[in-house]
Amino acid sequence: MPAGSFCQITGPGLVRVTSRLRIGNGAGLLVVGGSLTVDGPVRVEPDAAFGVPTNLTPVSIGGSVRVLANGAFILGTETPGGPDFASIEGTVRGVDASTVQIHNTRVVGEVTMTGGGGLNAVVDEVTGTSVDNNFNDLEDDQISGHVRVTRYDGVWAGIIRDVISGPLSFTYNSEAPNIDEYDIGSDLIDGSARCSHNDPVPNTGASDGSPSIVHGPVLGDQAATCTGVAGGVSGPPV
């Protein structure tokens, strides 16, 4: 997609991209109907946005996902215990991204989010607001690899009800001074879990759920909070 362009898929029927999908700088792709299959990787360039706002639109990505500075990648919405509606056949990496939100999705690879948390103008225009859109969220996913979230500076972050076939690392993240919530829990983690140097301390929210099951050591200066409050009703504070 050319820089600055906008495309909306409304359905019905399948839209298929038979190669990689690159969303150019400041461009936006919104999928609100039908289904989308990409036969290769997806790259969200700086200030661009990829958005699938509901779990009623099946999505299949045949490669990795990369989200660059102030880019947005939004896949589905919170559906506790719901079935998978999307798949990503590769790793997910956010580098200074505004937001990476993945719900009810099978990810064949690790998920890494480093830095970011700024606003995304495309998301703000579509939603009609610039409040609380820049958050990271992994909920009800099956992830085949390490999950790392570090040095993120958005309004909120959640890692909730996920099956993680690898370790979890949540370190050096910070929120706005008027917000006091990270939600991590109800996860099944096949590896270690490390929480350290986050401000605020994880799990100070009021979400319902249970502590995560961790098949490995729980590490870091905030280890006691790393799995203790879990995600039932969750999301950025309102």
Side-chain angles (χ1 to χ4, degrees):
M1 292 180 56
S5 63
F6 185 84
C7 177
Q8 180 169 304
I9 298 173
T10 60
L14 167 68
V15 171
R16 186 172 204 128
V17 180
T18 58
S19 62
R20 66 173 183 166
L21 172 61
R22 177 177 171 272
I23 303 175
N25 292 47
L29 175 61
L30 178 64
V31 184
V32 294
S35 62
L36 174 65
T37 294
V38 181
D39 290 341
V42 171
R43 183 180 175 94
V44 182
E45 296 288 353
D47 301 303
F50 175 99
V52 184
T54 78
N55 296 18
L56 301 177
T57 306
V59 174
S60 176
I61 297 173
S64 61
V65 171
R66 187 175 177 92
V67 189
L68 300 182
N70 292 323
F73 183 84
I74 300 172
L75 195 56
T77 189
E78 182 178 25
T79 307
D84 292 346
F85 85 103
S87 63
I88 299 172
E89 301 294 327
T91 61
V92 176
R93 187 178 182 192
V95 182
D96 293 327
S98 170
T99 176
V100 177
Q101 303 171 36
I102 302 174
H103 303 86
N104 302 89
T105 296
R106 180 174 60 88
V107 181
V108 184
E110 67 179 24
V111 176
T112 302
M113 307 176 195
T114 306
L119 297 178
N120 179 279
V122 178
V123 174
D124 294 347
E125 183 174 351
V126 170
T127 62
T129 177
S130 62
V131 178
D132 291 346
N133 289 324
N134 51 333
F135 62 92
N136 280 343
D137 198 13
L138 303 172
E139 298 194 22
D140 299 279
D141 299 318
Q142 300 179 60
I143 301 171
S144 300
H146 200 148
V147 173
R148 302 180 182 90
V149 181
T150 186
R151 300 190 185 281
Y152 185 68
D153 196 26
V155 299
W156 181 77
I159 303 172
I160 302 166
R161 296 183 303 271
D162 297 310
V163 177
I164 301 171
S165 299
L168 166 69
S169 180
F170 191 85
T171 59
Y172 294 95
N173 301 290
S174 61
E175 293 181 344
N178 62 328
I179 298 174
D180 189 28
E181 181 176 352
Y182 283 128
D183 290 347
I184 302 175
S186 288
D187 298 310
L188 177 60
I189 302 169
D190 189 16
S192 62
R194 177 180 294 275
C195 285
S196 66
H197 300 92
N198 299 291
D199 183 17
V201 175
N203 300 334
T204 57
S207 297
D208 297 327
S210 58
S212 298
I213 298 172
V214 184
H215 293 293
V218 180
L219 307 168
D221 68 302
Q222 297 167 337
T225 71
C226 198
T227 68
V229 173
V233 177
S234 63
V238 295

